[in-house]
Amino acid sequence: MDSDSGKPKKKSKPKQKQSSGTVNIRWIATISIASFFLSVIMSYTSNQALEHVGNLIAFVILFAFIALGILFDVIGVAATVSTEKRFHSMAARKVSGAKQAIWITRNAEKVGSFCNDVVGDISGIISGATSAVIITHLTKNGTDLRSIVLSLVITGCVSSLTIGGKAIGKTIGISRSEDIVFMVGRLLAVFSWKK
């Protein structure tokens, strides 16, 4: 009860993080340039690898790009929904990876953008290009009907694996967000990532 007015006091709600609403031009420029170079490197690597391997290895490379996109999508989602409260006590006890986990949660917008938009989308583009190369190899001496059917089947499989995998990944990323962020933090700590 409030002693002055006689009315019960309202419980104050904890303050939540709010986006400043300003556009970070420097970050956008950095992420755009990084996307360009990362896309070129990944595309060149996959094309070079596919020229000298058989169909089985080509499919392994394709699934690796799909898995990479799903993995980074999970990390991006986890970083976005995770809170840093759990990591403060761990950091106080000097647990390896706790400080990095705090940094990830505090910079969730940037981490999510890099993981989901940069690595995730580039992996999707490269997996599409990789599947096109595989289709070309498989249908080199085939009939028109066989080429069309094979193209549709492979494209459908790549799409369903990517979309289904990301749907499962998002569920895991949300439900186990703090565990995932901590695992990434520990991985960064191994490489002496100090920020």
Side-chain angles (χ1 to χ4, degrees):
M1 293 282 287
D2 192 333
S3 57
D4 297 328
S5 61
K7 293 179 181 177
K9 284 184 179 179
K10 290 183 179 177
K11 289 182 181 177
S12 60
K13 292 181 180 176
K15 290 182 180 177
Q16 294 182 354
K17 285 190 232 177
Q18 291 184 349
S19 177
S20 61
T22 57
V23 177
N24 190 335
I25 301 298
R26 189 175 178 182
W27 167 248
I28 292 169
T30 302
I31 207 74
S32 298
I33 293 166
S35 299
F36 173 79
F37 285 107
L38 192 59
S39 178
V40 168
I41 291 165
M42 288 172 72
S43 180
Y44 178 78
T45 304
S46 66
N47 287 338
Q48 288 298 309
L50 289 169
E51 281 182 11
H52 307 289
V53 297
N55 291 331
L56 182 62
I57 303 298
F59 274 106
V60 170
I61 293 168
L62 173 61
F63 292 135
F65 277 114
I66 293 170
L68 184 70
I70 293 168
L71 176 64
F72 273 83
D73 199 61
V74 171
I75 295 168
V77 169
T80 306
V81 301
S82 180
T83 58
E84 61 186 81
K85 183 180 177 183
R86 171 186 169 188
F87 305 122
H88 282 292
S89 61
M90 295 170 74
R93 298 195 310 271
K94 299 189 185 300
V95 176
S96 177
K99 287 183 179 179
Q100 288 79 5
I102 291 169
W103 186 91
I104 291 168
T105 56
R106 285 183 180 173
N107 293 275
E109 186 179 344
K110 291 179 181 179
V111 174
S113 178
F114 177 78
C115 291
N116 297 108
D117 302 331
V118 178
V119 179
D121 289 351
I122 290 172
S123 295
I125 292 165
I126 301 298
S127 64
T130 303
S131 63
V133 172
I134 291 170
I135 290 164
T136 303
H137 286 170
L138 291 174
T139 59
K140 200 175 286 183
N141 300 316
T143 61
D144 288 341
L145 180 61
R146 181 174 175 266
S147 300
I148 291 167
V149 171
L150 201 57
S151 174
L152 291 173
V153 169
I154 292 173
T155 303
C157 287
V158 169
S159 298
S160 62
L161 280 172
T162 304
I163 294 166
K166 287 190 175 186
I168 295 167
K170 278 181 172 59
T171 304
I172 296 168
I174 292 168
S175 62
R176 303 291 301 275
S177 60
E178 292 180 358
D179 293 331
I180 292 165
V181 168
F182 181 56
M183 280 169 46
V184 175
R186 291 196 67 152
L187 184 63
L188 293 174
V190 168
F191 293 101
S192 300
W193 190 80
K194 299 294 183 186
K195 290 185 182 179

